[in-house]
């Protein structure tokens, strides 16, 4: 009972410190609970480290939320994408607005995680932020690309890890998915430039799935 009271009191103090530069106790407490749930899955067996990491993640989630909520996509002019010439979508504009968040928000989180956790534990937390999109996408690549070579897989994973780390600084799942699309396109270009034909492989895969579905009906 006493330990429970101490834990709740310490949690309140940490949230109060985070709120010294933010607002909304209830919302930040909810983010604390989210972060705490992720950290508990690590089974750190170190209460101090657990609290430190939970605080790091909560501070980051709070900063991302606050920046997103205070920087509307409407602040970004509805111009064109200079690479494609296409008109910027509302999603594009929201990503531009949110990507202007100070780099220190990202750096503080990653420095703290790498200081307190192992590489695998850091990756676990990043997967939590991005709902396991890296593994899900790699599973698809392994099904689509025949006889995927080890060096090809290594390159695809490297790019998806970059996508995952970039994506954690965005609030909505639509934004996170859009960040992954950037790197999925990069992976498709890599495969095409190394003797593969992504369009043909993907079409073959889709036809295979359609045939399989037809047989099962």
């Amino acid at each position: 009972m006493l330990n429970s009271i101490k834990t709740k009191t310490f949690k309140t103090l940490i949230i109060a410190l985070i709120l010294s530069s933010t607002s909304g106790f209830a919302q930040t407490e909810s983010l604390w609970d989210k972060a705490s749930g992720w950290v508990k899955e690590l089974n750190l067996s170190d209460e101090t480290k657990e609290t430190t990491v939970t605080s790091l993640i909560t501070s980051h989630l709070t900063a991302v939320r606050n920046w997103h909520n205070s920087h509307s996509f409407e602040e970004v002019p509805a111009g064109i994408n200079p690479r494609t010439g296409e008109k910027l979508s509302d999603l594009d504009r929201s990503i531009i607005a949110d990507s202007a968040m100070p780099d220190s928000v990202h750096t503080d989180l990653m420095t703290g995680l790498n200081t307190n956790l192992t590489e695998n534990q850091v990756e676990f937390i990043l997967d939590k932020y991005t709902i396991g999109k890296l593994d899900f996408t790699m599973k698809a690549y392994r099904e689509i690309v025949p006889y995927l070579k080890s060096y090809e897989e290594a390159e695809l994973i490297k790019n998806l890890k970059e996508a995952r780390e970039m994506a954690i600084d965005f609030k909505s799942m639509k934004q996170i998915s859009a960040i992954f699309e950037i790197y999925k396109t990069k992976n498709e270009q890599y495969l095409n430039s190394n003797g593969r034909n992504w369009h043909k492989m993907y079409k073959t895969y889709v036809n295979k799935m359609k045939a399989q579905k037809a047989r099962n009906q």
Side-chain angles (χ1 to χ4, degrees), residues 86-147:
E86 296 177 356
K87 183 178 179 180
L88 293 172
S89 66
D90 291 349
L91 178 58
D92 292 333
R93 293 162 70 192
S94 74
I95 290 174
I96 292 171
D98 287 357
S99 67
M101 185 175 67
D103 292 343
S104 59
V105 175
H106 181 90
T107 302
D108 288 348
L109 173 70
M110 294 307 300
T111 299
L113 292 180
N114 287 315
T115 298
N116 290 279
L117 303 176
T118 66
E119 182 178 348
N120 286 340
Q121 289 171 334
V122 171
E123 293 207 7
F124 176 86
I125 294 298
L126 299 186
D127 281 332
K128 284 295 184 180
Y129 268 93
T130 55
I131 62 169
K133 275 188 171 293
L134 190 155
D135 287 342
F136 177 82
T137 306
M138 278 309 304
K139 181 176 183 295
Y141 283 140
R142 293 182 184 110
E143 293 177 357
I144 296 169
V145 183
Y147 308 108

Side-chain angles (χ1 to χ4, degrees), residues 1-214:
M1 180 67 176
L2 183 59
N3 286 337
S4 176
I5 293 173
K6 287 182 177 178
T7 300
K8 290 180 179 178
T9 301
F10 193 60
K11 170 184 171 181
T12 302
L13 289 172
I14 293 294
I15 294 176
L17 287 172
I18 295 172
L19 286 172
S20 65
S21 59
T22 62
S23 61
F25 187 93
Q27 289 182 333
T28 299
E29 185 174 32
S30 175
L31 293 179
W32 174 281
D33 292 338
K34 181 179 184 177
S36 179
W38 295 351
V39 175
K40 285 186 184 302
E41 291 188 53
L42 293 174
N43 298 314
L44 295 177
S45 301
D46 183 328
E47 189 173 334
T48 299
K49 182 175 288 189
E50 185 175 303
T51 301
T52 298
V53 175
T54 301
S55 178
L56 282 166
I57 297 171
T58 303
S59 294
H60 178 263
L61 289 171
T62 301
V64 170
R65 178 202 66 195
N66 289 351
W67 184 273
H68 177 82
N69 291 347
S70 61
H71 293 78
S72 170
F73 74 90
E74 294 175 340
E75 296 178 10
V76 178
I80 63 169
N81 183 323
R83 287 184 177 272
T84 65
E86 296 177 356
K87 183 178 179 180
L88 293 172
S89 66
D90 291 349
L91 178 58
D92 292 333
R93 293 162 70 192
S94 74
I95 290 174
I96 292 171
D98 287 357
S99 67
M101 185 175 67
D103 292 343
S104 59
V105 175
H106 181 90
T107 302
D108 288 348
L109 173 70
M110 294 307 300
T111 299
L113 292 180
N114 287 315
T115 298
N116 290 279
L117 303 176
T118 66
E119 182 178 348
N120 286 340
Q121 289 171 334
V122 171
E123 293 207 7
F124 176 86
I125 294 298
L126 299 186
D127 281 332
K128 284 295 184 180
Y129 268 93
T130 55
I131 62 169
K133 275 188 171 293
L134 190 155
D135 287 342
F136 177 82
T137 306
M138 278 309 304
K139 181 176 183 295
Y141 283 140
R142 293 182 184 110
E143 293 177 357
I144 296 169
V145 183
Y147 308 108
L148 186 64
K149 298 178 175 62
S150 58
Y151 66 84
E152 292 175 322
E153 180 166 316
E155 182 67 17
L156 300 183
I157 291 174
K158 178 181 74 67
N159 289 334
L160 291 178
K161 284 186 176 183
E162 289 181 14
R164 181 179 62 186
E165 186 171 335
M166 179 182 290
I168 66 172
D169 293 329
F170 294 88
K171 184 175 183 292
S172 76
M173 285 312 306
K174 284 185 178 180
Q175 291 176 316
I176 289 173
S177 294
I179 297 301
F180 269 82
E181 284 301 321
I182 295 170
Y183 286 85
K184 286 164 70 175
T185 297
K186 186 175 181 178
N187 277 343
E188 291 164 20
Q189 292 171 340
Y190 165 76
L191 291 170
N192 286 337
S193 65
N194 284 273
R196 300 283 194 170
N197 185 323
W198 173 258
H199 179 73
K200 182 178 179 180
M201 290 187 297
Y202 187 75
K203 185 177 180 180
T204 299
Y205 171 75
V206 170
N207 290 339
K208 177 182 176 182
M209 292 298 102
K210 286 181 178 178
Q212 183 176 316
K213 182 178 180 180

